[in-house]
Amino acid sequence: MQRLHARYPFLEAARESVASQTVDLATVVEQDQAVVDRAHERVVAALEAGDTGEPHRDTRTELLSYPVARVLVSLVNERILVRKYARAEAEDAFERFTSDFEETVELKSASNDGLSLETLLSEFDLENAVREVSDGYRIDVGTYLPLAADCWGDEWRLVNRALADGEVPIDERELHVLVQEAVRERVEDGLPFDVPDPIAQALTEDVEDIREVLANLELTREIDTVVPDLFPPCMKALLDSIQKGEHLAHHSRFAITAFLTSIGMSTDEIVELYRVNSSFGEEMTRYQTDHIRGDSSPTEYSAPSCATMQSYGDCVNKDDLCERIAHPMAYYENRLDDEDEDDLEDWREATEGEGKGESEA
């Protein structure tokens, strides 16, 4: 079993590697606790942090934890878990393959841990649909549309692309994002599936624990308290940029909007918040917010993880708490828990009070 397969367990070669070892999953879940523990960690981390946790040092354990994690996701059988797990695997894959692509040819030749863009495109049958040109890449429109369908932001809409000769122009980072979507689709494909009783029985405790984590997550999604002073530094900075009327990149708008919906702000409240911004457009802001919330899309989006915020350059002004958490929502929940509930003043109530006072005056 190669370390490359452990780093990219969704590869067809990784699946074949497991099959060639005639691995019996029933035996693994009954006798190899390290694999089960790592699989459990993959799923819980996907829920709590938006990634799959720290890779295990043992290649075999890391690789086998992937099919066992898929078994756990199938046994829990909750759509939200399927989505979050697939996105977490794709997020980690994105970080790894973009790092691999930056490595020099010399370093790649010295290790079998890296993955080339050509290999990854071939993995998803994209090598004939994507071609490199002088200013980036061009991708067949028929391939582009399904991969870009779940990408957030106006720039992904076909109407905003210079479509020519059945091809859509994209830059290097956009190509990487589309490959990430291909990974997510593959991970999500077939989930959940039927699990044989012996395997299900051996994983009963792990499944119950994941259900409890999911239940707690559902409770945290009921947060309906907006206290900007307690926001994580990254979200404070983005909110400050909005209020100053500064232009935000699409990924930044997505991050702060997803965060605000997660803490209970309504679409109307978020639209009103953006109104002072120079790039404000009410119809588009409302559409984007409803899309993130899941009102006009099949997916309810959560705020990006700290790792994603960092990759986009939105992770700023880190403090001590940032060093101990992996997600902006976890930061905010920690700050709320540390405060006396009686001392918390919801920003929306304060704003309403100011408005009422002005109207009475």
Side-chain angles (χ1 to χ4, degrees), residues 45 48-51 54 230-235 259 304-310 315 318-335 337-338:
E48 295 182 336
D51 57 36
E54 287 296 319
L230 303 183
F231 282 8
C234 56
M235 297 303 171
F259 178 80
S305 66
C306 293
T308 300
M309 294 292 286
Q310 188 170 3
C315 178
K318 292 177 67 172
D319 59 21
D320 291 342
L321 181 54
C322 291
E323 300 294 339
R324 306 196 304 272
I325 55 92
H327 200 283
M329 283 298 295
Y331 182 106
Y332 189 53
E333 291 166 22
N334 271 270
R335 291 296 305 275
D337 289 342
D338 289 341

Side-chain angles (χ1 to χ4, degrees), residues 61-132:
T61 299
E62 181 66 11
L63 176 55
L64 292 182
S65 71
Y66 175 73
V68 176
R70 288 173 58 85
V71 169
L72 289 171
V73 171
S74 296
L75 288 171
V76 175
N77 195 17
E78 292 287 349
R79 183 59 188 163
I80 186 173
L81 176 58
V82 171
R83 292 200 305 266
K84 285 182 173 291
Y85 173 69
R87 288 191 175 281
E89 290 283 1
E91 286 273 1
D92 280 359
F94 178 86
E95 290 186 22
R96 290 170 185 169
F97 68 62
T98 51
S99 176
D100 284 350
F101 297 164
E102 292 172 1
E103 296 290 336
T104 63
V105 173
E106 290 76 18
L107 285 176
K108 283 182 181 176
S109 64
S111 170
N112 66 350
D113 298 342
L115 193 68
S116 69
L117 175 60
E118 292 76 16
T119 299
L120 201 52
L121 290 177
S122 178
E123 175 72 23
F124 294 102
D125 297 324
L126 297 175
E127 69 273 27
N128 295 323
V130 176
R131 65 184 181 93
E132 189 171 4

Side-chain angles (χ1 to χ4, degrees), residues 144 151-161 250 253 279 281 284-285 287-288:
Y144 173 83
C151 294
W152 188 86
D154 295 345
E155 74 270 28
W156 294 103
R157 299 175 65 191
L158 190 59
V159 68
N160 294 326
R161 295 281 170 170
H250 285 293
R253 282 175 62 100
S279 59
M284 183 53 65
T285 300
Y287 167 79
Q288 292 172 341

Side-chain angles (χ1 to χ4, degrees), residues 126-145:
L126 297 175
E127 69 273 27
N128 295 323
V130 176
R131 65 184 181 93
E132 189 171 4
V133 293
S134 59
D135 58 347
Y137 296 86
R138 300 187 73 85
I139 181 172
D140 290 348
V141 64
T143 302
Y144 173 83
L145 287 174

Side-chain angles (χ1 to χ4, degrees), residues 175-321:
L175 175 59
H176 296 169
V177 171
L178 293 177
V179 173
Q180 178 184 354
E181 284 299 297
V183 174
R184 180 191 61 78
E185 289 180 2
R186 175 172 292 185
V187 174
E188 189 170 338
D189 184 45
L191 292 176
F193 51 77
D194 293 333
V195 178
D197 288 341
I199 296 178
Q201 291 172 7
L203 295 173
T204 298
E205 291 185 7
D206 292 276
V207 170
E208 289 305 313
D209 183 72
I210 294 170
R211 286 189 183 279
E212 184 175 347
V213 172
L214 184 59
N216 290 335
L217 178 69
E218 294 291 341
L219 290 176
T220 64
R221 291 173 67 199
E222 294 300 320
I223 287 178
D224 193 17
T225 306
V226 182
V227 186
D229 286 345
L230 303 183
F231 282 8
C234 56
M235 297 303 171
K236 276 186 181 179
L238 293 178
L239 181 62
D240 186 54
S241 295
I242 292 174
Q243 295 176 326
K244 288 180 179 178
E246 297 174 355
H247 173 75
L248 290 183
H250 285 293
H251 56 78
S252 301
R253 282 175 62 100
F254 171 82
I256 184 62
T257 303
F259 178 80
L260 294 175
T261 63
S262 296
I263 65 173
M265 288 189 68
S266 68
T267 296
D268 287 341
E269 290 166 341
I270 293 173
V271 166
E272 191 61 33
L273 181 68
Y274 273 106
R275 197 174 294 280
V276 299
N277 195 275
S278 59
S279 59
F280 172 79
E282 180 168 348
E283 182 178 355
M284 183 53 65
T285 300
R286 188 175 297 278
Y287 167 79
Q288 292 172 341
T289 303
D290 285 341
H291 185 83
I292 291 172
R293 191 186 300 281
D295 291 345
S296 61
S297 70
T299 301
E300 180 179 349
Y301 294 88
S302 58
S305 66
C306 293
T308 300
M309 294 292 286
Q310 188 170 3
S311 70
Y312 280 127
D314 286 331
C315 178
V316 297
N317 307 325
K318 292 177 67 172
D319 59 21
D320 291 342
L321 181 54

